[in-house]
Amino acid sequence: MAQAPIPVLVNGAAGKMGREVVKAVAQAEDMTLLGAIDKSPEHMDKDAGELAGIEALEVPITDQFEPMLALASQERQQAVMVDFTHPSSIYNNIRSAIAYGVRPVVGTTGLSPEQIQDLAEFADKASTGCLIIPNFSIGMVLLQQAAIAASQHFDHVEIIELHHNQKADAPSGTAIQTAEMLAEMGKAFNPALVEETEKLPGARGGLAQEGIRIHSIRLPGLIAHQEVIFGAAGQVYTLRHDTSDRACYMPGVLLAIRKVLQLKSLVYGLEKIM
Amino acid sequence: MAQAPIPVLVNGAAGKMGREVVKAVAQAEDMTLLGAIDKSPEHMDKDAGELAGIEALEVPITDQFEPMLALASQERQQAVMVDFTHPSSIYNNIRSAIAYGVRPVVGTTGLSPEQIQDLAEFADKASTGCLIIPNFSIGMVLLQQAAIAASQHFDHVEIIELHHNQKADAPSGTAIQTAEMLAEMGKAFNPALVEETEKLPGARGGLAQEGIRIHSIRLPGLIAHQEVIFGAAGQVYTLRHDTSDRACYMPGVLLAIRKVLQLKSLVYGLEKIM
Amino acid sequence: MAQAPIPVLVNGAAGKMGREVVKAVAQAEDMTLLGAIDKSPEHMDKDAGELAGIEALEVPITDQFEPMLALASQERQQAVMVDFTHPSSIYNNIRSAIAYGVRPVVGTTGLSPEQIQDLAEFADKASTGCLIIPNFSIGMVLLQQAAIAASQHFDHVEIIELHHNQKADAPSGTAIQTAEMLAEMGKAFNPALVEETEKLPGARGGLAQEGIRIHSIRLPGLIAHQEVIFGAAGQVYTLRHDTSDRACYMPGVLLAIRKVLQLKSLVYGLEKIM
Amino acid sequence: MAQAPIPVLVNGAAGKMGREVVKAVAQAEDMTLLGAIDKSPEHMDKDAGELAGIEALEVPITDQFEPMLALASQERQQAVMVDFTHPSSIYNNIRSAIAYGVRPVVGTTGLSPEQIQDLAEFADKASTGCLIIPNFSIGMVLLQQAAIAASQHFDHVEIIELHHNQKADAPSGTAIQTAEMLAEMGKAFNPALVEETEKLPGARGGLAQEGIRIHSIRLPGLIAHQEVIFGAAGQVYTLRHDTSDRACYMPGVLLAIRKVLQLKSLVYGLEKIM
């Protein structure tokens, strides 16, 4: 007998990421879209599928969060709530979902360490899986894991990240995170052979931890790209990730929906379930 | 008390790789060059260091292989023989070294599976470590391991290898090996969305196992480069290794010299000791 | 006194390229959208701006082609028709536009050499500018011109084009066109140093004219990319163009609209007006 | 009747570039090595060919500069002096060569604008060609010319240069020169869309003229590489030059030797004769 499909609630279903999730869940054979929640009045009662640019799914956008959790809790198959809402609401959203026995998969960032700790205890007590995933890009996690492996054998590394020129911050959060992961290896990278002189201040990039330099390129036409370049005598080893569309996060979202059903506690980070 | 340096014999010390090994061993603080063996008459009795382009090491090139093994076997510290000679001689070289209790690190390729099996049994009986390493490039092994990790999450991959135009064979042995490693994952890559038409035969590259395509570029100015490109909706993940100098193999050679002392049997492949 | 804006008709205004043109013309300070023509019944009478994803422009989609030309011919300022319709209709569209004194800028491909010759004579007689532009990408034209300049000094070149895996043909038309442009230099590229052996048929790519090889990569996540790689002893010179959005064609379209007003005959190719 | 070969003197023939020139001249069918001058005592009287790593040329290294010029002036075919010596000596070398009717091709940098002006007048009076070439890389000149062409159509550009970690200065002189060439277009590049914030100072690179940013990567394994990246809505256009060996300068040197014979005055820069 075939497994019944996983019932999925999408919270924030009218947002950019929410629409992608609606589409991905609708197209996954082992899932069914149970509900589509969003607080923005302009999309109320629209069909979630049509809003996402696919066929009608007969699932209207609603702002009735708790009733949807109650509905989901009555499904015979364990239900999952995917949350791409707002930093200010996710703490309560997660607690409510767990209280109803619905398993949260949360992509919104902004929880404090204390909040995460508190939610972890709450999930533990309820023996309910809960996934908090700041970055759903499987490709970026693979790049970071490959970079960590390489850093055990290479002493020299620099990071280049390239983004469209509407991005205000430099370096990107992901580049900073990558440098932090490498820095945790506990070694000083890029021991200098010569005393460097910057004829233009900043030419050598921004200095992150442990001697790792990050260079940020901003140009229209670029989307979101990161390179980690390792060098040693006679060789260069480069890892590059290019993102061109939010669709790239969906394999990670679907993986998280499947995995959260097997968990009995809170887990943080996509790398933990890959 | 500091550890005594590891005594190293270099067999094939006048060849291109042999000279690099002489240089690397001479510069490694935990090793000492005990002997430099080569059969080519033109370099006989030259100083191995000077031949390698560094300072004189007071180690003359000799063709006396067995006497050098005998000498090495009398060292208090376990000795290692690094062999970059010829496919026709390595089988006997390895047996001789093990017979004298000298641990072989062999970079020459060309042993048959039967020969490797036979040598493995011989090493087992003698409880002597022996390393056979077809590719000493740590960067390439890292790339291949990262590719294997990525292939668990990506269904689409192509390989581009770029070499100087003096290379006759296409694709490169390393690119074929990379495709084989991916093919061993046991899944069919690159399921077709559309029926492809080649307006120029060969445009889509060479088809290796499991749907993996390899493209070989040959141009002067290139040295040795390999890219493995993974694609999925909205993202591309690229691994690239560039080799510009034989020096790139030396970290792998030094690692092998240190590791072979801890082994009691034959091990094949750099990835096993990284 | 400021110049009056250029009145522009967009033919095929409901198509993907047509919508981009509507948006670009609406946002160009020196142009005004006079009419938006399309034959598809489903978009009839919709506002062209809203259909293009911008504000309402009070220009409804109409299928009345000749009346719009008649209207445009009464403008005090010379009008331009941008045509992104169908190969089967452009010959007649161009003749009609010229007959009404409206200057055509045509992006649709598919005219035969005889048709182009015929239209050129027709434009000559009417002393009316007409632009036929098979590729509106300024970046690609720059790449091709840079490649032609490089081919005077480099004897070795290969082309790699990378596209999404929904593209059925390989190589891409643009890659073939680039090879043809280089081949017109009248020299044989890539004289062989060694006799090449393909261990996998097709590994060395598709052989275009004059020894130029083209390699076609197809992966999801890729969009449209082309590299031309020149090699010589000790150096490699690479030209790469990445397209991520139809917006990239708009600077070429706007340039063509401005330039066609200065012409008195038919001109073929964006490179002629850059 | 075949043209007699061009007699060439190499000044600085024992240096790294000088040896490459000796080799390139010896292998050029339309040239003959007339003399090899060098002041370093350690190579005196050695055969210039053997020192350059090729066959003996029966041309010994000599420090007799003026006698060699006198010899060259008696050749029936106009002679050329290629000078890769020292900034302190080139001014006098050039004057002496012109006085003897030998045409200078000078790769050494370091002349002041006044010295160049003075030499130009001296060459004019003697109606003698003279070439001063700060960068003999034809590939880099092609890249710079392609960048200038692109800058007429793109408003956004950044430069990345990547070198080995023995290079002390950042950015490289060639990257600064490229930025200067673009800045001479007389337009401000990279108008900001957003107010940028550097979370790590220097992340956005060094700011050269007219808004152009330069990023300098330093890693072992790299040699000498430069990328100029242009961006516009929906597209990126990248020019990249990779240098792996001094051999890359030889086509430029040979071109200069042939061209200087057709000149009657001083010309500065390889781009002037391409």
Side-chain angles (χ1 to χ4, degrees):
Chain A
M1 196 182 76
Q3 185 74 23
I6 306 166
V8 178
L9 297 179
V10 178
N11 198 4
K16 286 177 181 175
M17 280 295 281
R19 295 182 196 198
E20 284 290 332
V21 176
V22 165
K23 187 159 46 167
V25 166
Q27 291 168 352
E29 294 192 359
D30 59 342
M31 301 178 192
T32 184
L33 184 71
L34 183 69
I37 305 147
D38 205 285
K39 293 198 166 168
S40 65
E42 61 171 322
H43 298 300
M44 210 51 54
D45 298 326
K46 287 186 187 170
D47 184 88
E50 289 183 343
L51 191 62
I54 57 170
E55 73 283 3
L57 298 172
E58 311 298 332
V59 177
I61 301 284
T62 173
D63 57 0
Q64 299 298 303
F65 179 48
E66 296 242 351
M68 290 309 295
L69 289 175
L71 181 73
S73 70
Q74 292 157 22
E75 291 281 312
R76 290 187 54 181
Q77 172 79 11
Q78 279 277 353
V80 174
M81 170 191 74
V82 179
D83 193 304
F84 280 100
T85 56
H86 192 266
S88 64
S89 60
I90 44 173
Y91 176 81
N92 287 330
N93 293 352
I94 295 171
R95 285 194 71 118
S96 301
I98 292 174
Y100 277 97
V102 175
R103 277 132 200 263
V105 167
V106 184
T108 315
T109 51
L111 290 169
S112 69
E114 293 73 29
Q115 286 180 311
I116 293 173
Q117 177 60 27
D118 186 58
L119 291 168
E121 288 168 15
F122 195 70
D124 264 353
K125 275 185 208 147
S127 283
T128 297
C130 172
L131 278 168
I132 301 180
I133 312 280
N135 186 345
F136 273 107
S137 168
I138 285 177
M140 183 55 78
V141 171
L142 286 168
L143 180 151
Q144 290 173 333
Q145 291 180 331
I148 289 168
S151 70
Q152 296 172 329
H153 296 281
F154 282 88
D155 293 333
H156 296 264
V157 62
E158 302 208 7
I159 298 172
I160 304 177
E161 53 90 355
L162 309 95
H163 283 83
H164 53 83
N165 63 337
Q166 291 160 338
K167 185 174 184 64
D169 284 359
S172 70
T174 310
I176 290 174
Q177 184 198 32
T178 306
E180 284 170 354
M181 286 176 167
L182 295 177
E184 282 170 15
M185 301 297 297
K187 77 181 186 191
F189 288 95
N190 304 321
L193 275 188
V194 292
E195 188 163 348
E196 291 190 345
T197 308
E198 278 191 335
K199 288 185 284 182
L200 290 179
R204 288 288 289 115
L207 189 56
Q209 297 97 321
E210 301 293 358
I212 301 171
R213 289 179 182 274
I214 308 180
H215 309 266
S216 301
I217 319 299
R218 297 289 175 268
L219 286 171
L222 292 170
I223 307 174
H225 318 264
Q226 182 175 313
E227 279 189 16
V228 183
I229 312 179
F230 292 91
Q235 68 182 316
V236 175
Y237 174 43
T238 304
L239 306 166
R240 177 172 175 124
H241 188 252
D242 300 279
T243 305
S244 58
D245 194 287
R246 279 184 199 88
C248 79
Y249 303 114
M250 292 309 111
V253 170
L254 299 182
L255 179 68
I257 292 171
R258 291 174 190 125
K259 290 281 182 175
V260 77
L261 294 176
Q262 302 165 16
L263 300 174
K264 296 200 170 306
S265 60
L266 184 148
V267 170
Y268 185 94
L270 189 61
E271 63 278 12
K272 302 282 173 47
I273 59 169
M274 280 172 58
Chain B
M1 196 183 75
Q3 186 75 22
I6 306 166
V8 178
L9 296 179
V10 178
N11 198 5
K16 288 176 180 174
M17 281 295 282
R19 295 182 196 198
E20 283 291 333
V21 177
V22 164
K23 186 159 47 169
V25 166
Q27 291 169 352
E29 294 192 0
D30 58 343
M31 300 178 194
T32 185
L33 184 71
L34 183 69
I37 305 147
D38 204 285
K39 291 197 167 169
S40 65
E42 60 170 324
H43 297 299
M44 210 51 54
D45 297 326
K46 288 186 185 169
D47 184 88
E50 290 184 341
L51 192 61
I54 56 170
E55 75 281 4
L57 298 172
E58 311 298 333
V59 177
I61 301 284
T62 172
D63 58 359
Q64 300 296 303
F65 178 51
E66 297 242 350
M68 291 307 296
L69 289 175
L71 181 73
S73 69
Q74 291 157 23
E75 292 281 313
R76 290 186 54 180
Q77 172 79 10
Q78 277 278 351
V80 174
M81 170 191 75
V82 179
D83 192 304
F84 279 102
T85 56
H86 192 266
S88 64
S89 59
I90 43 174
Y91 176 83
N92 286 330
N93 293 353
I94 295 170
R95 284 195 72 119
S96 299
I98 293 174
Y100 277 98
V102 175
R103 276 131 200 265
V105 168
V106 183
T108 315
T109 51
L111 290 169
S112 69
E114 294 73 29
Q115 285 180 312
I116 292 172
Q117 177 59 28
D118 187 59
L119 291 168
E121 289 168 16
F122 194 72
D124 265 353
K125 274 185 210 149
S127 283
T128 298
C130 173
L131 277 167
I132 302 180
I133 312 281
N135 187 344
F136 273 108
S137 168
I138 284 177
M140 182 56 77
V141 170
L142 287 167
L143 180 152
Q144 289 173 333
Q145 290 180 331
I148 288 168
S151 70
Q152 295 173 329
H153 296 280
F154 283 88
D155 293 333
H156 296 263
V157 62
E158 301 209 9
I159 298 172
I160 305 176
E161 54 90 354
L162 310 94
H163 283 83
H164 52 83
N165 63 336
Q166 291 160 338
K167 185 173 183 64
D169 284 0
S172 70
T174 309
I176 290 174
Q177 184 198 32
T178 306
E180 284 170 354
M181 286 175 167
L182 296 177
E184 282 170 15
M185 301 297 297
K187 78 180 186 192
F189 289 95
N190 304 321
L193 275 188
V194 293
E195 187 162 349
E196 291 189 345
T197 308
E198 278 190 335
K199 289 185 283 182
L200 289 180
R204 288 287 289 113
L207 189 56
Q209 296 97 321
E210 300 294 356
I212 302 170
R213 290 179 182 275
I214 309 179
H215 308 267
S216 301
I217 319 298
R218 296 288 175 271
L219 287 170
L222 292 170
I223 307 175
H225 318 263
Q226 183 174 313
E227 279 189 14
V228 183
I229 312 180
F230 293 91
Q235 68 182 316
V236 175
Y237 174 42
T238 304
L239 307 165
R240 179 173 173 123
H241 188 252
D242 300 279
T243 305
S244 58
D245 193 288
R246 279 184 200 88
C248 77
Y249 303 114
M250 293 309 112
V253 170
L254 298 183
L255 179 68
I257 292 171
R258 290 172 191 128
K259 290 281 182 173
V260 77
L261 294 175
Q262 303 164 14
L263 299 174
K264 295 200 171 307
S265 61
L266 184 148
V267 170
Y268 186 94
L270 189 61
E271 64 277 14
K272 302 282 172 48
I273 59 168
M274 279 172 59
Chain C
M1 196 182 75
Q3 186 76 22
I6 306 166
V8 178
L9 297 179
V10 178
N11 199 4
K16 287 176 180 174
M17 281 295 283
R19 295 182 196 198
E20 284 291 333
V21 176
V22 164
K23 185 159 48 168
V25 166
Q27 292 168 352
E29 295 192 359
D30 59 343
M31 301 179 193
T32 184
L33 185 71
L34 183 69
I37 305 147
D38 205 286
K39 293 199 166 167
S40 65
E42 61 171 324
H43 298 300
M44 210 52 54
D45 297 326
K46 288 186 186 169
D47 184 88
E50 289 184 342
L51 192 61
I54 56 170
E55 74 282 3
L57 298 173
E58 312 298 332
V59 177
I61 301 283
T62 172
D63 58 359
Q64 300 297 303
F65 178 49
E66 296 244 349
M68 290 308 295
L69 289 176
L71 181 73
S73 69
Q74 291 157 23
E75 292 281 314
R76 290 186 55 180
Q77 172 80 9
Q78 279 277 353
V80 174
M81 170 191 74
V82 179
D83 192 304
F84 279 101
T85 56
H86 192 265
S88 64
S89 60
I90 43 174
Y91 176 82
N92 287 329
N93 292 354
I94 295 170
R95 285 195 72 118
S96 300
I98 292 174
Y100 277 97
V102 175
R103 277 132 200 264
V105 167
V106 183
T108 314
T109 51
L111 290 170
S112 70
E114 294 72 30
Q115 286 180 312
I116 292 173
Q117 177 58 29
D118 187 59
L119 292 167
E121 289 168 14
F122 194 71
D124 265 353
K125 275 185 209 149
S127 284
T128 298
C130 172
L131 277 169
I132 302 180
I133 311 280
N135 186 344
F136 273 107
S137 168
I138 285 177
M140 183 55 78
V141 170
L142 286 167
L143 180 151
Q144 289 174 333
Q145 291 180 332
I148 289 168
S151 69
Q152 296 173 328
H153 296 280
F154 282 88
D155 293 332
H156 297 263
V157 62
E158 302 208 7
I159 298 172
I160 305 177
E161 54 89 357
L162 309 94
H163 283 83
H164 53 83
N165 63 337
Q166 290 160 339
K167 185 174 184 64
D169 284 0
S172 70
T174 310
I176 290 173
Q177 184 198 31
T178 306
E180 284 171 354
M181 286 175 167
L182 296 177
E184 282 169 16
M185 302 297 296
K187 78 181 188 190
F189 288 95
N190 303 321
L193 275 187
V194 293
E195 188 162 349
E196 290 190 346
T197 307
E198 278 190 335
K199 287 185 285 182
L200 290 179
R204 288 287 289 115
L207 188 57
Q209 297 97 321
E210 301 293 357
I212 301 170
R213 288 178 182 276
I214 308 179
H215 309 267
S216 301
I217 318 299
R218 296 288 176 271
L219 286 171
L222 292 171
I223 307 174
H225 318 264
Q226 182 174 312
E227 279 189 14
V228 184
I229 312 179
F230 292 91
Q235 68 182 317
V236 175
Y237 174 42
T238 304
L239 307 166
R240 179 173 173 124
H241 188 253
D242 300 279
T243 305
S244 58
D245 194 288
R246 279 183 199 88
C248 77
Y249 303 115
M250 292 309 111
V253 170
L254 298 183
L255 178 68
I257 292 171
R258 292 173 189 126
K259 290 281 182 174
V260 76
L261 294 177
Q262 303 164 15
L263 298 175
K264 296 201 171 305
S265 61
L266 184 147
V267 170
Y268 186 94
L270 189 61
E271 63 278 13
K272 302 282 172 49
I273 59 169
M274 280 172 59
Chain D
M1 197 181 76
Q3 186 74 22
I6 306 166
V8 178
L9 297 179
V10 178
N11 197 5
K16 287 176 180 175
M17 281 295 282
R19 294 182 197 198
E20 283 291 333
V21 176
V22 164
K23 186 159 48 167
V25 166
Q27 291 168 352
E29 293 192 0
D30 58 343
M31 300 178 192
T32 185
L33 183 71
L34 183 68
I37 305 147
D38 204 284
K39 291 199 168 169
S40 66
E42 60 171 322
H43 297 300
M44 210 51 56
D45 297 327
K46 287 186 186 170
D47 183 88
E50 289 183 342
L51 191 61
I54 57 169
E55 74 282 4
L57 298 173
E58 311 297 333
V59 177
I61 301 284
T62 173
D63 57 0
Q64 300 296 304
F65 179 49
E66 296 242 351
M68 291 308 296
L69 289 175
L71 181 73
S73 70
Q74 291 157 24
E75 292 280 312
R76 291 188 52 180
Q77 172 80 8
Q78 278 276 352
V80 173
M81 171 191 74
V82 179
D83 192 304
F84 280 101
T85 56
H86 193 267
S88 64
S89 59
I90 43 174
Y91 176 82
N92 287 330
N93 293 353
I94 295 171
R95 285 195 72 118
S96 299
I98 292 175
Y100 277 98
V102 175
R103 278 132 199 264
V105 167
V106 183
T108 314
T109 50
L111 289 169
S112 70
E114 294 73 29
Q115 286 180 312
I116 292 173
Q117 178 58 29
D118 187 58
L119 291 168
E121 289 167 15
F122 195 72
D124 265 353
K125 273 185 211 149
S127 284
T128 298
C130 173
L131 278 168
I132 302 180
I133 312 281
N135 187 345
F136 273 107
S137 168
I138 285 177
M140 183 54 78
V141 170
L142 286 167
L143 180 152
Q144 290 173 332
Q145 290 180 332
I148 289 168
S151 68
Q152 296 172 329
H153 296 280
F154 282 89
D155 293 332
H156 296 263
V157 62
E158 302 209 7
I159 299 173
I160 305 176
E161 54 90 355
L162 310 94
H163 284 84
H164 53 83
N165 64 335
Q166 291 161 338
K167 184 172 184 66
D169 285 0
S172 70
T174 309
I176 290 174
Q177 184 198 33
T178 306
E180 284 171 353
M181 286 175 168
L182 295 177
E184 283 170 15
M185 301 296 298
K187 77 180 186 193
F189 289 95
N190 304 322
L193 276 188
V194 292
E195 187 162 349
E196 292 190 345
T197 308
E198 278 190 335
K199 288 185 285 182
L200 289 179
R204 287 288 288 115
L207 188 57
Q209 297 97 322
E210 301 294 356
I212 302 170
R213 290 180 181 274
I214 308 180
H215 308 266
S216 301
I217 319 300
R218 297 287 176 270
L219 287 171
L222 292 170
I223 306 175
H225 318 263
Q226 182 174 312
E227 279 190 14
V228 183
I229 312 180
F230 293 92
Q235 68 182 317
V236 175
Y237 174 42
T238 305
L239 306 166
R240 179 174 174 122
H241 188 252
D242 301 279
T243 305
S244 58
D245 194 287
R246 278 184 200 88
C248 78
Y249 303 115
M250 293 308 113
V253 170
L254 299 183
L255 179 68
I257 292 171
R258 291 173 190 126
K259 290 281 184 176
V260 76
L261 293 176
Q262 302 164 16
L263 300 174
K264 296 201 171 305
S265 60
L266 184 148
V267 170
Y268 186 95
L270 189 62
E271 64 277 14
K272 302 281 173 47
I273 58 169
M274 278 172 59

